[in-house]
Amino acid sequence: MTEQHEHVRVAVIGSGFGGLGAAVRLRREGITDFVVLERADSVGGTWRDNDYPGCACDVPSHLYSFSFAPNPDWPRTFSGQEHIRAYLEHVTDTFRLRPHLRLSHEVLTMRWDNDALHWDIETSRGRFTADVVVSATGPLSDPKTPDIPGLADFPGKVFHSARWDHDYDLTGKRVAMIGTGASAIQIVPSIQPKAGRLTLFQRTPPWVMPRIDRRISGAERWLHRQLPFTGTARRGLLWGIRELQVQAFTKRPGELGLVESLAKANMAKAIKDPALRAKLTPSYRIGCKRILLSSTYYPALARPNVDVVASGLTEVRGSTVVAADGTETEVDAIIFGTGFHVTDMPIAERVVGAEGITLAEAWKDGMQSLRGASAAGFPNFMTIIGPNTGLGNSSMILMIESQLNYMADYMRQLDLLGEGSVLAARPSAVHAWTRRVQERMQRTVWNTGGCTSWYLDASGRNTTIWPGTTTEFRNATRRVDLAEYEVIRARKVPAPAAAADARAAKDAEVVA
């Protein structure tokens, strides 16, 4: 007796901005035969999982939202996590996505069936098959905690910023904060007033610019509600400023000295101690790592209950944490703000392609895909926020919407090719695209700025950032070029032969 399962045209994996955006776009394209598989019990992706104190976006709200779902009621110029999560719930309801959601369905394996020409998906709550998979698991979904000797025997509390323990009271506690990335600079000012003693372990100091955040007035919100074009204009202005700025990052890193002087002035205003200022001053070019925004980080570090250890954590001995420079500190709690599995996406271990190898194995020498979407050897499989689609200075929603354009045209091409057709990215096309991207990367600040960032993979290659403007990426993903794909079709076999040999009936031939 064959196992019962649901077959869909498209399976979307994840329900953050990428997954919900894909679901909305599929419906707008007239495709309703799809499911959104989500491992958690609600939508929201990274904005559901990251709810640490002070969590907010460092991209202005009117730009960090879908162009097709403007929100005139953003309360602040930079919105907090709870408002972004509420926005994603609102999008889910507005576009009637709930019937497509399969919550608490963690994808365990996805395997391409060369005979049936579909994806076989095992989840924690049953099996699905799908003609097309759209993977929107995102790069900021699986926390990365370093392997520190002695950590398992630490008697106090340990957690990652993306798995915040709200039941643990930090009041009066001795707290070690590990890391100085985007999460840490929001957490430090939020917990500093509570902590008895806060010790920040900093391997590399970040460049921090002031965060020009304010409440959006009732009059502004009323205007955006009554005259929607004003919200569109606001978004356009925010986008245009960043589009002009990106040239310095991608083509003229040498011109970033002025920006560095502004960042140093921001630091000097709050940090009067020259020794502390020296610890907090980066030695690399601004922009090489993500520029962070905060007007409260430096003032918090200057408080008497905060210590900055200019060294990474290397060992834990009982309740003592030990830095690489030998500094020893007794603590009650360790909080890791050490980022995510970005260049080694965990979902890649669970995807098995046409040649019987996992996506992780295919990417063992570095992630690469055609236009950030299609990997060689993985037919009818697309990633949203795939390799080299990240941004260093603007809104990821712009890149997601470009990839949704590409996904929509991909589905149109499959329709035109006829039922049972499959598109498989040509290895030569993937290599050519990757080579072009990496050639452009050579002169960018992310490669020449003198830092080691989470943008780089284990071999030092930047597989994360897009080395151009969002306009260039939008143009590159406007349409699917069939010359970059092999077209695979199910071979039609007469009924008697099919009865005699079911495998032959499902055999496939490459039509290129």
Side-chain angles (χ1 to χ4, degrees):
M1 186 174 171
T2 58
E3 178 195 356
Q4 291 296 307
H5 69 275
E6 185 176 357
H7 178 82
V8 291
R9 188 164 181 216
V10 185
V12 178
I13 318 299
S15 69
F17 269 99
L20 295 179
V24 171
R25 190 58 187 269
L26 287 169
R27 284 196 60 124
R28 293 176 84 184
E29 292 291 317
I31 298 169
T32 56
D33 182 17
F34 70 90
V35 291
V36 179
L37 301 174
E38 168 55 58
R39 66 184 176 185
D41 59 4
S42 61
V43 302
T46 195
W47 296 105
R48 175 199 58 235
D49 297 340
N50 288 269
D51 62 352
Y52 56 79
C55 183
C57 190
D58 60 3
V59 175
S61 308
H62 286 84
L63 192 57
Y64 198 79
S65 43
F66 291 121
S67 63
F68 54 78
N71 178 16
D73 290 313
W74 288 117
R76 302 193 67 83
T77 50
F78 291 91
S79 287
Q81 172 265 344
E82 68 277 15
H83 296 111
I84 298 173
R85 184 177 182 184
Y87 169 76
L88 290 172
E89 292 279 2
H90 175 71
V91 166
T92 303
D93 290 326
T94 301
F95 292 92
R96 299 175 184 163
L97 303 181
R98 301 255 175 225
H100 300 280
L101 291 177
R102 301 293 182 270
L103 300 175
S104 302
H105 279 64
E106 180 174 5
V107 171
L108 305 176
T109 58
M110 290 187 280
R111 188 177 295 275
W112 177 253
D113 187 324
N114 283 311
D115 298 325
L117 296 183
H118 65 213
W119 285 95
D120 204 320
I121 305 165
E122 285 292 341
T123 79
S124 56
R125 295 180 66 175
R127 178 173 168 247
F128 295 79
T129 54
D131 297 331
V132 178
V133 165
V134 177
S135 179
T137 56
L140 305 181
S141 55
D142 288 88
K144 188 192 303 191
T145 302
D147 185 14
I148 306 292
L151 182 62
D153 299 321
F154 177 67
K157 191 72 184 175
V158 180
F159 53 88
H160 191 280
S161 60
R163 301 290 183 266
W164 195 271
D165 189 336
H166 291 277
D167 294 329
Y168 184 74
D169 187 3
L170 293 171
T171 304
K173 297 292 197 304
R174 299 167 298 174
V175 182
M177 180 76 223
I178 316 300
T180 52
S183 301
I185 74 152
Q186 295 178 342
I187 292 167
V188 166
S190 300
I191 67 173
Q192 173 271 319
K194 282 185 181 180
R197 186 111 214 132
L198 176 58
T199 305
L200 178 68
F201 287 78
Q202 167 195 274
R203 280 194 309 179
T204 313
W207 284 106
V208 183
M209 296 288 282
R211 180 186 178 89
I212 315 301
D213 187 24
R214 64 171 180 83
R215 190 179 70 83
I216 296 177
S217 69
E220 288 172 272
R221 296 204 294 271
W222 178 86
L223 186 66
H224 294 330
R225 273 196 304 274
Q226 300 303 313
L227 301 171
F229 74 87
T230 60
T232 304
R234 183 177 192 154
R235 177 187 175 90
L237 180 63
L238 292 166
W239 166 78
I241 291 168
R242 282 157 182 77
E243 204 75 339
L244 292 171
Q245 288 173 341
V246 78
Q247 301 293 330
F249 292 89
T250 58
K251 295 178 181 175
R252 297 184 291 276
E255 296 178 7
L256 288 164
L258 173 62
V259 187
E260 285 179 9
S261 63
L262 294 173
K264 285 178 180 175
N266 179 46
M267 184 197 306
K269 194 166 64 176
I271 306 293
K272 303 305 180 189
D273 175 10
L276 180 55
R277 210 159 52 231
K279 280 184 185 178
L280 298 174
T281 302
S283 60
Y284 56 88
R285 180 105 279 182
I286 195 168
C288 183
K289 287 174 176 275
R290 189 176 180 94
I291 300 172
L292 306 181
L293 302 181
S294 177
S295 299
T296 55
Y297 178 64
Y298 288 139
L301 296 185
R303 302 298 296 169
N305 68 328
V306 178
D307 292 314
V308 177
V309 177
S311 191
L313 177 66
T314 56
E315 189 184 356
V316 178
R317 298 186 199 134
S319 58
T320 301
V321 289
V322 185
D325 65 0
T327 304
E328 296 187 6
T329 312
E330 289 266 331
V331 296
D332 304 306
I334 302 173
I335 303 171
F336 286 98
T338 44
F340 300 85
H341 290 273
V342 176
T343 59
D344 56 339
M345 289 187 220
I347 192 72
E349 296 277 4
R350 306 178 184 196
V351 184
V352 181
E355 293 166 15
I357 64 169
T358 66
L359 188 55
E361 289 172 295
W363 281 351
K364 68 180 185 298
D365 297 322
M367 298 192 301
Q368 54 179 314
S369 65
L370 177 60
R371 301 179 191 273
S374 304
F378 295 81
N380 276 12
F381 180 89
M382 304 189 72
T383 48
I384 306 293
I385 318 182
N388 290 112
T389 60
L391 292 175
N393 77 315
S394 192
S395 173
M396 274 307 299
I397 313 307
L398 300 167
M399 299 296 277
I400 288 171
E401 289 195 25
S402 292
Q403 293 202 287
L404 299 182
N405 289 342
Y406 195 74
M407 177 198 75
D409 197 51
Y410 192 100
M411 299 306 298
R412 283 185 219 117
Q413 296 297 335
L414 288 176
D415 277 346
L416 291 170
L417 289 166
E419 188 178 348
S421 297
V422 172
L423 289 175
R426 293 180 182 277
S428 58
V430 174
H431 295 324
W433 172 259
T434 303
R435 188 170 59 250
R436 292 212 305 276
V437 168
Q438 292 302 322
E439 281 171 0
R440 290 192 62 181
M441 195 72 74
Q442 295 311 309
R443 63 184 177 182
T444 68
V445 70
W446 306 298
N447 276 35
T448 65
C451 73
T452 302
S453 72
W454 58 265
Y455 300 150
L456 309 180
D457 65 17
S459 63
R461 196 175 67 162
N462 192 329
T463 56
T464 306
I465 294 289
W466 168 246
T469 64
T470 60
T471 303
E472 288 172 306
F473 188 75
R474 177 146 297 197
N475 290 335
T477 52
R478 202 173 290 283
R479 286 187 176 77
V480 169
D481 179 359
L482 284 181
E484 296 180 327
Y485 288 86
E486 291 177 329
V487 178
I488 304 170
R489 289 195 177 102
R491 179 182 292 157
K492 288 187 168 55
V493 187
D501 188 352
R503 183 177 177 83
K506 291 180 179 178
D507 201 7
E509 63 180 349
V510 173
V511 182

